[in-house]
Amino acid sequence: MKYVYILESQDLEHFYVGITDDVPARLVKHNAGKVAHTSKYRPWKLKTYVAFSDEKQAFAFENI
């Protein structure tokens, strides 16, 4: 299962869309500063996520 997730920064001005197999673990990495693209806008909160059984559909959705 692949998950496309949307994060919102605490300042409410920045959003990030990503894809993962484990949403809670990925959020921990974002908030720990281990993701270069999101480290300067920490902390992040999860806005939503969508589950996909088809990996190709997940990647297509992420890039919309």
Side-chain angles (χ1 to χ4, degrees):
M1 190 72 62
K2 291 288 184 189
Y3 302 92
V4 176
Y5 61 94
I6 300 173
L7 302 180
E8 181 179 29
S9 66
Q10 184 176 17
D11 66 13
L12 307 177
E13 294 182 15
H14 297 91
F15 292 86
Y16 179 83
V17 178
I19 193 165
T20 187
D21 295 326
D22 185 343
V23 176
R26 190 67 175 153
L27 180 59
V28 168
K29 284 186 177 184
H30 283 288
N31 282 324
K34 295 182 178 180
V35 181
H37 294 300
T38 62
S39 62
K40 66 180 177 178
Y41 300 113
R42 295 180 291 160
W44 293 93
K45 64 181 178 179
L46 181 66
K47 290 297 287 183
T48 194
Y49 65 93
V50 181
F52 291 87
S53 57
D54 183 293
E55 187 173 311
K56 287 181 182 180
Q57 285 182 334
F59 281 103
F61 185 81
E62 179 194 23
N63 291 314
I64 292 179

